Amino acid sequence: GMRRIQRVRRPSSGAVAAAVVEFRIAGNGGLSALSIARSSGNAQLDRTALLVIQRAAPFPPPPPGARRHFTIPIKGR
């Protein structure tokens, strides 16, 4: 009985976790800030999400007035 209830209440493993990464782009296109805004609950995925942004940098220098602060979800597989 109880075991079945616990199984039902847990979200299905098919749900894809996502780490929400927050970062800021400097005037020269480099990263000026990078952090996990919301953990995916999976340390490995959080680290991978930060690496994804680090590898994407440097970015093209943003034009004046362009948005420089981004918060994006990065999903696990």
Side-chain angles (χ1 to χ4, degrees):
M2 276 318 281
R3 190 171 292 151
R4 196 150 142 229
I5 291 167
Q6 284 170 337
R7 214 171 30 233
V8 169
R9 282 179 50 209
R10 194 175 306 137
S12 76
S13 56
V16 181
V20 180
V21 181
E22 192 173 352
F23 63 99
R24 201 177 281 279
I25 300 174
N28 66 0
L31 276 178
S32 62
L34 175 63
S35 64
I36 294 287
R38 196 178 77 232
S39 172
S40 61
N42 176 331
Q44 180 85 46
L45 175 54
D46 288 359
R47 275 199 300 274
T48 301
L50 292 174
L51 271 175
V52 166
I53 305 300
Q54 284 168 341
R55 292 206 181 114
F59 300 92
R67 203 170 99 146
R68 289 196 194 178
H69 182 250
F70 299 87
T71 307
I72 60 164
I74 293 181
K75 292 185 171 66
R77 301 217 202 306

